[in-house]
């Protein structure tokens, strides 16, 4: 009897629960665990008036070939991902003076201050002859471009108005993975569209200058430049990119952290341009194998692959093969951190950095320069090869002559003239210059062979190798018997 009553009670509970699900659309496991979904309506109503639609135009001459203009959504896609636009005149070519203004693109933005400063993406206004800002009350203003920074994809424009609704800036450091966020923008020109999702990752390195916020908020062409908003009603990012194979949203979107964007906007407002620091090095990541083999322990820092001749790094004593572990008092966790840290230092400032070199840490002082266009580098020319034989590592080396040292700007090192076996499998190539072996600097071919003769043939050997203008660590592993 007890078993029958229990089964009946269980059936009644299931029926009641099913009714609750059908009535509310919410599955509730128990009263104690019940939790309401976030409410976005009040948030959207409060922030919405500070979000604007941005329309751009350019003056184009009539197409002589009679070809129709490309759809604006496709133009936005091509511009955002840096693809050449089919059937368009070369970049920088000015249209005929009598050309009529034509709509170029649609994006989003948000009002930073009541006196009319508006933040958006640089790619939204790139190449535009005129920029128009439309408010939610349908007022439209012709905007003046204060400045745009392509590297961070941040732009600042100004409209002549006062008493405007503006956004509150949030603290990105408080943002947590899994936290609810919303986006407001104009996807496909549909003004003040609200979408919601969660923060999927922070500090996502996509190869851009800034670490991006990854979300699953639906973002499409036209959302660019709109705000990413937390549940406190604060802007934490600028919606900038999507990961897509079709040109539309596929579940992954990226936003520029608002703290980085604000720093850029402040410079644009003050000077109309952004000034960034540089020290003149090319870098690479430090792998786990390399970190262990050279005594660094864990893969951290940025491996210096080459040093610009006459640049700040060379003057500071930084060498190819160094691993920069700290800069300006900040830890360099991975190679991508270094350009961001250096870029944030005011050009002309003198600061300190820490490098790991041949098994020990060393502090150096460097004067930070300003970012400039990359210089064209020359690769070292080779000369006649001397006759050599491969040694016990499977590497035959020769001394560098004075001409080669001057060309490579090296004091020491030996040139690889012959490579075979395990060394070849490790990636050593003929023409490489070996700078060190197991943290021991190589000064000559004779000294190199003496060091090799003392090596334990059962353990891996780490070479610091220069190839062209860059250096890298290569690990030669013993052949298993």
């Amino acid at each position: 009897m007890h078993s029958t009553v229990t089964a009946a009670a269980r059936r009644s509970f299931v029926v009641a629960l099913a009714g609750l699900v059908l009535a509310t659309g919410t599955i509730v496991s128990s009263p104690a665990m019940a939790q309401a979904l976030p409410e976005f309506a009040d948030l959207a109503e409060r922030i919405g008036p500070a979000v604007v639609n941005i329309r751009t135009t350019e003056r184009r001459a009539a197409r002589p070939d009679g070809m129709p203009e490309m759809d604006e959504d496709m133009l936005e896609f091509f511009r955002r991902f840096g693809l050449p636009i089919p059937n368009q005149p070369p970049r920088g070519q000015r249209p005929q003076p009598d050309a009529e203004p034509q709509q170029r693109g649609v994006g989003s933005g948000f009002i930073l201050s009541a006196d009319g400063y508006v933040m958006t993406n640089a790619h939204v206004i790139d190449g535009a002859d005129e920029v128009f800002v439309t408010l939610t009350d349908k007022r439209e203003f012709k905007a003046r471009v204060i400045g745009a920074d392509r590297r961070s994809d941040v732009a600042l424009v100004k409209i002549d108005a006062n008493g405007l609704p503006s956004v509150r800036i949030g603290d990105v450091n408080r943002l947590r993975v899994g936290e609810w966020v919303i986006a407001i923008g104009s996807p496909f020109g549909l003004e003040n569209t609200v979408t919601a999702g969660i923060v999927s990752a922070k500090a996502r390195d996509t190869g851009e200058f800034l670490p991006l916020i990854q979300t699953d908020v639906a973002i499409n062409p036209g959302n660019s430049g709109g705000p990413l908003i937390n549940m406190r009603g604060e802007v934490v990012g600028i919606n900038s990119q999507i990961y897509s194979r079709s040109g539309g949203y596929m579940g992954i979107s990226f936003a520029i952290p608002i703290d980085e964007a604000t720093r850029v906007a402040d410079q644009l407002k003050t000077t109309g341009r952004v000034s960034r620091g540089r020290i003149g090095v090319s870098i690479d990541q430090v792998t786990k194998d390399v970190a262990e083999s050279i005594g660094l322990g864990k893969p951290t820092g940025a491996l210096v692959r080459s040093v610009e001749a006459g640049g700040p790094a060379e003057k500071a004593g930084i060498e190819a093969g160094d691993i920069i572990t700290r800069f300006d008092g900040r830890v360099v966790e991975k190679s991508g951190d270094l350009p961001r840290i250096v870029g944030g230092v005011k050009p002309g400032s003198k600061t300190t950095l820490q490098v790991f070199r041949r098994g020990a840490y060393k502090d150096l002082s460097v004067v930070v320069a300003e970012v400039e266009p990359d210089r064209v580098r020359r690769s070292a020319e080779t000369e006649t090869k001397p006759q050599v034989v491969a040694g016990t590592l499977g590497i035959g080396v020769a001394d560098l002559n004075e001409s080669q040292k001057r060309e490579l700007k090296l004091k020491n090192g030996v040139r690889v003239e012959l490579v075979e076996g395990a060394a070849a499998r490790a990636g050593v190539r003929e023409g490489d210059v070996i700078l060190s072996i197991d943290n021991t600097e190589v000064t000559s071919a004779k000294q190199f062979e003496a060091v090799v003769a003392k090596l334990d043939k059962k353990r891996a050997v780490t070479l610091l190798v220069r190839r062209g203008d860059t250096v890298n660590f290569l690990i030669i592993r013993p052949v298993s018997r």
Side-chain angles (χ1 to χ4, degrees):
M1 181 66 178
H2 176 74
S3 175
T4 303
V5 171
T6 301
R10 186 181 297 112
R11 285 194 297 273
S12 298
F13 175 76
V14 170
V15 171
L17 180 61
L20 179 62
V21 171
L22 290 174
T24 66
T26 303
I27 298 178
V28 181
S29 58
S30 70
M33 296 176 63
Q35 186 176 9
L37 289 172
E39 173 60 60
F40 302 117
D42 292 341
L43 193 63
E45 186 175 332
R46 187 166 76 251
I47 307 300
V51 181
V52 302
N53 173 269
I54 294 182
R55 177 173 61 87
T56 62
T57 65
E58 66 177 337
R59 295 183 178 276
R60 299 180 190 167
R63 293 288 298 273
D65 55 7
M67 292 290 289
E69 297 293 336
M70 186 177 292
D71 179 80
E72 283 301 323
D73 295 334
M74 287 304 298
L75 281 173
E76 161 74 7
F77 171 72
F78 278 100
R79 285 194 294 266
R80 182 65 202 98
F81 291 96
L83 301 176
I85 302 176
N87 300 317
Q88 298 295 308
R91 186 179 183 82
Q93 179 177 312
R94 304 303 298 172
Q96 297 297 324
D98 58 349
E100 291 295 324
Q102 298 184 25
Q103 181 165 310
R104 181 179 182 277
V106 176
S108 306
F110 50 96
I111 303 171
L112 284 177
S113 58
D115 58 350
Y117 282 97
V118 176
M119 185 180 285
T120 185
N121 282 145
H123 77 264
V124 169
I125 65 169
D126 184 34
D129 290 309
E130 296 177 315
V131 178
F132 295 93
V133 172
T134 304
L135 309 185
T136 54
D137 61 9
K138 304 306 178 184
R139 285 185 294 165
E140 185 174 83
F141 299 85
K142 185 175 180 179
R144 175 167 54 95
V145 176
I146 302 300
D149 179 52
R150 291 183 181 177
R151 194 160 195 164
S152 63
D153 198 22
V154 173
L156 187 67
V157 303
K158 176 73 167 62
I159 59 176
D160 293 328
N162 289 291
L164 299 173
S166 59
V167 300
R168 286 191 297 129
I169 301 300
D171 184 356
V172 177
N173 294 322
R174 295 179 60 190
L175 195 65
R176 301 170 62 195
V177 174
E179 180 178 335
W180 284 96
V181 285
I182 68 170
I184 306 179
S186 305
F188 305 110
L190 302 171
E191 300 177 11
N192 273 79
T193 295
V194 180
T195 52
I198 63 169
V199 176
S200 304
K202 292 179 61 179
R204 181 68 77 194
D205 192 345
T206 62
E208 303 289 339
F209 190 76
L210 301 176
L212 301 179
I213 302 168
Q214 179 184 331
T215 76
D216 67 353
V217 179
I219 300 295
N220 282 289
N223 271 114
S224 292
L228 184 71
I229 305 161
N230 64 20
M231 295 304 293
R232 292 180 290 276
E234 302 164 334
V235 174
V236 292
I238 308 176
N239 298 311
S240 176
Q241 301 180 19
I242 57 174
Y243 175 84
S244 178
R245 295 179 178 176
S246 63
Y249 174 70
M250 294 184 68
I252 297 177
S253 54
F254 299 99
I256 302 163
I258 195 62
D259 55 347
E260 302 283 359
T262 300
R263 279 195 282 271
V264 171
D266 287 344
Q267 289 194 56
L268 293 175
K269 186 176 181 180
T270 304
T271 65
R273 60 185 292 271
V274 177
S275 175
R276 291 188 176 88
R278 63 182 293 274
I279 59 173
V281 294
S282 65
I283 57 174
D284 202 352
Q285 64 181 350
V286 180
T287 66
K288 181 175 181 292
D289 286 346
V290 166
E292 292 176 350
S293 67
I294 64 176
L296 182 61
K298 63 178 182 179
T300 186
L303 169 63
V304 178
R305 298 197 64 187
S306 67
V307 180
E308 178 186 297
E314 185 182 67
K315 293 176 182 177
I318 298 173
E319 300 176 2
D322 285 348
I323 295 175
I324 300 176
T325 54
R326 297 181 71 89
F327 193 95
D328 196 35
R330 298 174 61 183
V331 176
V332 180
E333 294 286 353
K334 56 184 183 297
S335 61
D337 293 341
L338 185 63
R340 296 164 189 151
I341 296 174
V342 176
V345 177
K346 184 178 179 180
S349 302
K350 185 176 183 179
T351 188
T352 59
L353 60 91
Q354 183 186 73
V355 299
F356 184 82
R357 178 188 300 168
R358 291 189 282 277
Y361 290 95
K362 185 174 183 177
D363 291 331
L364 301 171
S365 295
V366 63
V367 177
V368 178
E370 188 171 1
V371 168
E372 59 186 6
D374 292 335
R375 297 179 180 178
V376 179
R377 307 175 190 273
R378 292 188 304 154
S379 58
E381 296 179 358
T382 60
E383 298 186 4
T384 306
K385 296 191 299 182
Q387 295 296 317
V388 297
V389 294
T392 55
L393 277 184
I395 301 174
V397 300
D399 290 326
L400 296 173
N401 60 36
E402 292 304 317
S403 174
Q404 290 170 327
K405 287 180 180 179
R406 283 195 303 270
E407 180 70 28
L408 296 170
K409 294 181 174 59
L410 293 175
K411 295 180 180 178
N412 292 304
V414 293
R415 176 183 161 84
V416 176
E417 304 293 344
L418 183 65
V419 59
E420 60 188 27
R425 290 191 294 274
V428 181
R429 299 179 188 172
E430 186 178 319
D432 287 346
V433 176
I434 299 175
L435 303 176
S436 72
I437 178 169
D438 278 353
N439 286 336
T440 299
E441 187 175 10
V442 175
T443 58
S444 66
K446 184 176 180 180
Q447 180 251 5
F448 175 80
E449 292 298 341
V451 173
V452 170
K454 297 177 182 179
L455 294 175
D456 183 350
K457 296 180 176 57
K458 296 181 180 179
R459 58 178 291 273
V461 177
T462 303
L463 303 179
L464 178 61
V465 174
R466 173 165 172 170
R467 181 175 300 160
D469 282 343
T470 64
V471 302
N472 202 5
F473 286 101
L474 298 177
I475 301 175
I476 302 175
R477 302 185 185 281
V479 179
S480 302
R481 299 289 183 182

